[in-house]
Amino acid sequence: MRIRRILAAVFATAALAGLGLTGAATATAATAGSVTPASVTPGECTDGGGTIDRSTPVLPTCRGGMYDGQTVD
């Protein structure tokens, strides 16, 4: 009976530790996966500290700030 309690405690600890590692891995993957988008909205460009350059031939481009060089849709 005592062995069953010890084994139950060991399995519970292992399960909780596994959940903690999974949560940490998910949080790391979420922060590592944040990449600037290929195109941004005009509001995102200006909110990120940039200005909209409309002199480009095809699409306007965000100049400066967080989204520098991204196209503006």
Side-chain angles (χ1 to χ4, degrees):
M1 186 77 160
R2 184 174 177 178
I3 299 246
R4 285 185 188 168
R5 279 189 247 156
I6 292 172
L7 284 175
V10 168
F11 286 128
T13 304
L16 291 175
L19 289 176
L21 292 175
T22 303
T26 303
T28 304
T31 57
S34 56
V35 179
T36 56
S39 65
V40 294
T41 64
E44 288 173 333
C45 177
T46 55
D47 289 345
T51 57
I52 300 171
D53 180 11
R54 298 188 191 281
S55 65
T56 54
V58 180
L59 288 173
T61 306
C62 186
R63 297 288 178 212
M66 188 160 100
Y67 300 108
D68 186 37
Q70 305 296 321
T71 59
V72 179
D73 286 334

